[in-house]
Amino acid sequence: MNDLLKPKLSRRRILQAAAAGAVGLDPALRAAVWAQGSDKPEKEEVKIGFIPLTDCASVVMASVLGIDKKYGVKIVPSKEASWAGVRDKLVNGELDMAHVLYGLVYGVHLGISGPKKDMAVLMTLNNNGQAITLSKKLADKGAVDGASLAKLITTDKREYTFAQTFPTGTHAMWLYYWLASAGIDPFKDVKNIVVPPPQMVANMRVGNMDGYCVGEPWGQRAIMDGIGITAVTTQDIWKDHPEKVLGTTADFVKKYPNTARAVTAAILEAGKWIDTGLQNKNKMAETIADKSYVNTSVDAINQRILGRYTNGLGKNWDDPNHMKFYNDGAVSFPYLSDGMWFLTQHKRWGLLKEHPDYLKVATEINRIDIYKQAAAATKTPVPKDVLRTSKLIDGAVWDGKNPKQYADSFKLHV
């Protein structure tokens, strides 16, 4: 399908072509796809990198449960130390695919977060389930949310340090968006540093940062260890936001299209299995808590995966918008608007100097054609539209229809 989407095509034609990928391939195109030979995976063993986070679960469970074998592939999960390491290994081919930050893939494709390489997003792995943690020391001074943090920064003058996990990644964008929504300039009013997810809690314990944004279980872990509080969940910043994706290089998809489809199908089915019910979620938590994967206690994982939240200040609640891996297919579809949103924020914060061709870039990266084939194999419903509409914490509505105007609309920007 990507061969159909040349730059010369109009926006309308691109959307029509992408929508065709979402709801079903043209019969002639389908015949052309399968006429290339057997749909047997060209590469049967696939090394997939992951970072120790709860949202690596569908990749791990596809392997542990043997779902991968059903689709003719063997997934070999590879535990990685940092997102920069994942980036480098994807680019140089040491990893075939990865559980990876949405914005990292886009950053590599555009050459704004390291070496430039054409990339591909095969599916979204999860929605929701990240958090911004503030240190207990800040909370003791009254900073427990955006407004009270802004007040403290104004009245108690010093350098405030916040950590995220990768410059173009999701956590950086959630952190910057939340700070800005409270009137805090993420580049002028505070200092930003990059810390790998598994090292966040240890760094906060020794006082290296005042707050951080990261995926679970490292928000819950800070509360359990008594060193931090949850100021906001990312689902409160953007309900059902895109988070990690199954990422690879464009070269890999071109060389191994059947493998790309088979792996996507296996992980789709694993996500569906996780979301099926309490028993499966508990089994998943027990599995990924092992030192081979996330290396933490089961109770650090299984509470928030069920939507049982505590903020470390005595507040407890059941969150219906907890981390989801499937949600009847709504999670996993690689919406073009999701990818474009990260580009708008990269432009907002000066990572991109000029406006890119938002729709063209998203269409190049998000392989709706491959996803649609995997969805058919797993009987996963697909949406009719390649764009979706969301309302974020500051009241701004994002629908993907005018990304340039949206990117330029923010009061706080670089």
Side-chain angles (χ1 to χ4, degrees):
M1 179 175 149
N2 267 29
D3 291 339
L4 303 175
L5 305 180
K6 299 296 185 186
K8 65 183 180 182
L9 290 183
S10 68
R11 173 192 169 82
R12 172 175 288 202
R13 287 287 305 282
I14 289 175
L15 286 172
Q16 286 173 340
V23 297
L25 285 172
D26 174 86
L29 184 55
R30 185 194 300 274
V33 171
W34 302 119
Q36 301 308 312
S38 167
D39 62 354
K40 183 178 184 292
E42 307 88 351
K43 183 178 172 70
E44 295 180 13
E45 186 169 295
V46 183
K47 188 176 181 182
I48 304 184
F50 72 92
I51 292 286
L53 291 160
T54 301
D55 50 31
C56 75
S58 56
V59 171
V60 171
M61 298 312 294
S63 171
V64 169
L65 296 172
I67 296 171
D68 51 356
K69 295 184 183 69
K70 176 177 171 181
Y71 295 95
V73 289
K74 179 184 179 184
I75 291 172
V76 180
S78 175
K79 187 173 181 176
E80 305 297 332
S82 70
W83 290 122
V86 169
R87 172 201 62 197
D88 294 345
K89 290 183 180 182
L90 274 177
V91 168
N92 68 25
E94 285 182 64
L95 293 173
D96 296 315
M97 300 179 181
H99 149 259
V100 65
L101 300 162
Y102 214 132
L104 183 153
V105 175
Y106 272 66
V108 171
H109 190 87
L110 293 172
I112 59 171
S113 61
K116 188 177 190 299
K117 179 93 173 172
D118 287 349
M119 299 297 287
V121 164
L122 299 176
M123 64 179 287
T124 303
L125 293 176
N126 67 295
N127 289 167
N128 307 326
Q130 323 295 296
I132 294 176
T133 299
L134 297 180
S135 71
K136 211 65 169 25
K137 290 177 182 176
L138 280 192
D140 289 344
K141 291 186 175 183
V144 296
D145 56 19
S148 52
L149 176 62
K151 184 178 178 183
L152 182 66
I153 289 172
T154 302
T155 56
D156 187 5
K157 300 283 188 183
R158 65 172 176 85
E159 184 175 76
Y160 290 82
T161 300
F162 285 81
Q164 35 85 2
T165 64
F166 191 81
T168 62
T170 53
H171 303 115
M173 298 308 116
W174 310 140
L175 178 63
Y176 300 166
Y177 203 99
W178 178 72
L179 288 170
S181 73
I184 302 166
D185 188 311
F187 293 94
K188 293 178 182 175
D189 297 334
V190 300
K191 177 185 175 184
N192 272 284
I193 60 173
V194 174
V195 175
Q199 297 176 25
M200 286 290 190
V201 174
N203 273 275
M204 180 170 276
R205 185 177 287 112
V206 297
N208 285 347
M209 81 271 273
D210 297 287
Y212 62 74
C213 183
V214 74
E216 294 301 339
W218 308 121
Q220 174 71 0
R221 186 80 254 173
I223 291 170
M224 292 172 67
D225 292 357
I227 61 167
I229 61 109
T230 295
V232 67
T233 65
T234 52
Q235 54 265 34
D236 283 336
I237 297 171
W238 175 358
K239 179 187 169 187
D240 294 336
H241 67 78
E243 185 48 45
K244 306 303 186 301
V245 294
L246 181 61
T248 186
T249 62
D251 287 343
F252 185 92
V253 181
K254 186 176 181 181
K255 191 173 181 182
Y256 309 115
N258 293 344
T259 303
R261 182 190 68 251
V263 173
T264 304
I267 294 173
L268 258 176
E269 188 169 321
K272 185 177 185 179
W273 179 88
I274 293 167
D275 276 7
T276 297
L278 178 65
Q279 188 174 350
N280 290 4
K281 287 178 181 177
N282 280 327
K283 162 84 172 175
M284 176 273 280
E286 289 167 11
T287 301
I288 69 167
D290 187 80
K291 64 180 179 181
S292 303
Y293 303 114
V294 180
N295 192 23
T296 192
S297 58
V298 175
D299 57 347
I301 296 172
N302 67 6
Q303 292 305 296
R304 289 193 170 186
I305 202 70
L306 298 172
R308 296 170 186 163
Y309 276 76
T310 179
N311 69 348
L313 294 166
K315 179 186 174 186
N316 302 288
W317 72 100
D318 288 324
D319 191 337
N321 304 314
H322 54 79
M323 188 184 293
K324 291 172 185 169
F325 293 88
Y326 187 75
N327 197 17
D328 296 326
V331 167
S332 26
F333 185 77
Y335 288 97
L336 298 185
S337 52
D338 285 359
M340 289 157 64
W341 184 87
F342 289 102
L343 294 178
T344 69
Q345 300 307 297
H346 295 162
K347 176 63 174 69
R348 177 186 184 184
W349 301 120
L351 295 160
L352 285 168
K353 304 305 178 190
E354 305 292 336
H355 288 286
D357 186 333
Y358 292 93
L359 186 61
K360 177 177 175 286
V361 173
T363 306
E364 288 169 353
I365 299 174
N366 289 25
R367 293 300 300 265
I368 290 173
D369 54 334
I370 298 287
Y371 179 84
K372 180 255 143 207
Q373 295 166 18
T378 56
K379 297 182 172 57
T380 296
V382 294
K384 292 179 180 178
D385 201 338
V386 294
L387 307 177
R388 62 176 177 144
T389 301
S390 304
K391 189 175 187 178
L392 277 73
I393 192 171
D394 56 357
V397 174
W398 167 245
D399 59 14
K401 291 175 181 172
N402 196 335
K404 184 176 183 294
Q405 183 183 63
Y406 179 85
D408 288 339
S409 69
F410 295 98
K411 182 180 175 183
L412 270 179
H413 59 86
V414 167

